[in-house]
Amino acid sequence: IGLLLSGYVQAQEYIGDSKFDDAIHEKSAFGDDETSIIVIEFWAQFNDANSFKDWNKLKNITHYYRVDIANAPKAKKDYRVRMAPTIIIFKDGVDQKYFKAGLDLECPVDLRELQEAIDDVKTASQF
């Protein structure tokens, strides 16, 4: 049974260099005045076991994308990604917060920490 929960991300897409810039500048479906929060996870097939698993529980984001580092050499270089997973929060197309895996290649953030960071980024410019 599939439930549509308001505020939760319902889909995840894999993107490469060709769609990266469009993805980070994507607007919310709720209108132009809504802040656009995009979460990008730089991902690697060989380390899928350590990928972020709770992406579908995140709230207050426009979209969650996975970028296969094998298919995105430009984005990987532009954002200085050295390890996968690396998770970056973008607000209105600008990188705001990074979570980078260490030498152990484990996911660098849990659901609570990532949600707090998203909420902080979303409210940072609100008065």
Side-chain angles (χ1 to χ4, degrees):
I1 298 174
L3 297 174
L4 181 63
L5 300 174
S6 178
Y8 286 87
V9 177
Q10 297 299 315
Q12 178 189 54
E13 293 180 48
Y14 287 80
I15 59 171
D17 277 339
S18 65
K19 294 184 179 181
F20 191 88
D21 285 337
D22 288 340
I24 64 170
H25 291 95
E26 184 175 326
K27 289 293 180 192
S28 170
F30 300 109
D32 290 341
D33 58 341
E34 181 72 16
T35 300
S36 177
I37 304 287
I38 307 293
V39 178
I40 301 279
E41 176 183 1
F42 285 88
W43 172 91
Q45 177 66 46
F46 73 85
N47 196 27
D48 185 55
N50 286 321
S51 63
F52 185 74
K53 303 296 186 211
D54 292 325
W55 61 268
N56 60 339
K57 295 178 183 175
L58 293 171
K59 295 186 272 184
N60 299 322
I61 66 173
T62 306
H63 212 95
Y64 187 98
Y65 291 104
R66 276 204 174 138
V67 176
D68 185 340
I69 60 172
N71 296 326
K74 182 181 180 319
K76 182 180 164 194
K77 180 181 177 190
D78 289 350
Y79 292 94
R80 294 179 179 91
V81 174
R82 306 275 187 262
M83 303 285 184
T86 291
I87 297 172
I88 305 173
I89 301 170
F90 288 84
K91 179 178 180 178
D92 297 326
V94 179
D95 52 322
Q96 300 288 321
K97 182 82 175 159
Y98 284 71
F99 297 94
K100 298 179 179 186
L103 294 176
D104 58 8
L105 297 178
E106 290 185 9
C107 188
V109 65
D110 63 24
L111 176 61
R112 181 191 56 77
E113 291 171 312
L114 186 55
Q115 188 64 64
E116 285 178 4
I118 289 166
D119 294 343
D120 287 347
V121 166
K122 185 169 181 74
T123 60
S125 64
Q126 294 177 353
F127 294 95

